[in-house]
């Protein structure tokens, strides 16, 4: 299972951080990109499962959605992915849902009208916050 590999990697990385800092971690947050093809509920369930028996057993873990940003390569403006596709029709939105790269076919930069749009974030998964015990 793809998600299990990713979650195991996250737990290992955060555990290593705790060991390196020699501090207990009270809580951490995992940000899942809005365009990432992960099941967020499953990620949360697995995080809580995998940390059992590890040094993070008592650590609180939160999962949040990270918004995707789109860069216009013509004028270097950055736009929220969901704001860019908001004015589109339902059919286009559905296609973009399955193939986010299509944003550059259906949307234009609101500032310069350019179509050279590139998705810069919101496709991955990362640890966005770690709180150590003082
Ligand atoms: Zn532009």
């Amino acid at each position: 299972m793809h998600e299990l590999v990713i979650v195991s990697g996250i737990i290992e990385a955060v555990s290593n951080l705790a060991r390196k800092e020699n501090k207990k971690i009270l809580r951490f947050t995992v940000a899942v990109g809005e365009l990432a093809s992960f099941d967020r509920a499953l990620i949360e369930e697995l995080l809580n499962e995998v940390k059992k028996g590890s040094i993070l057993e008592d650590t609180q873990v939160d999962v949040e959605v990270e918004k995707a940003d789109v860069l216009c390569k013509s004028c270097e403006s950055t736009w929220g992915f969901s704001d860019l596709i908001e004015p589109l029709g339902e059919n286009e939105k559905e296609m973009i849902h399955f193939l986010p790269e299509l944003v550059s076919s259906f949307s234009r930069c609101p500032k310069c009208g350019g179509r050279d749009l590139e998705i810069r974030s919101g496709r991955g998964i990362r640890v966005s916050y770690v709180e150590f015990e003082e």
Side-chain angles (χ1 to χ4, degrees), residues 72 74-77 79 109 111-114:
C72 170
S74 305
C75 72
E76 298 192 333
S77 303
W79 310 94
C109 170
K111 191 172 165 191
C112 73

Side-chain angles (χ1 to χ4, degrees), residues 42-97:
L42 180 60
I43 292 282
E44 188 158 12
E45 192 186 315
L46 287 171
L47 281 166
N48 283 300
E49 195 58 41
V50 173
K51 74 184 173 72
K52 279 183 196 159
S54 81
I55 60 169
L56 303 176
E57 177 148 10
D58 301 323
T59 303
Q60 163 82 29
V61 55
D62 302 302
V63 176
E64 65 175 17
V65 178
E66 185 167 58
K67 291 278 180 198
D69 282 329
V70 176
L71 171 77
C72 170
K73 286 159 96 177
S74 305
C75 72
E76 298 192 333
S77 303
T78 303
W79 310 94
F81 183 84
S82 46
D83 299 330
L84 267 189
I85 68 162
E86 183 53 36
L88 301 176
E90 288 308 313
N91 287 343
E92 282 106 342
K93 276 187 195 165
E94 191 167 330
M95 280 190 270
I96 287 176
H97 176 77

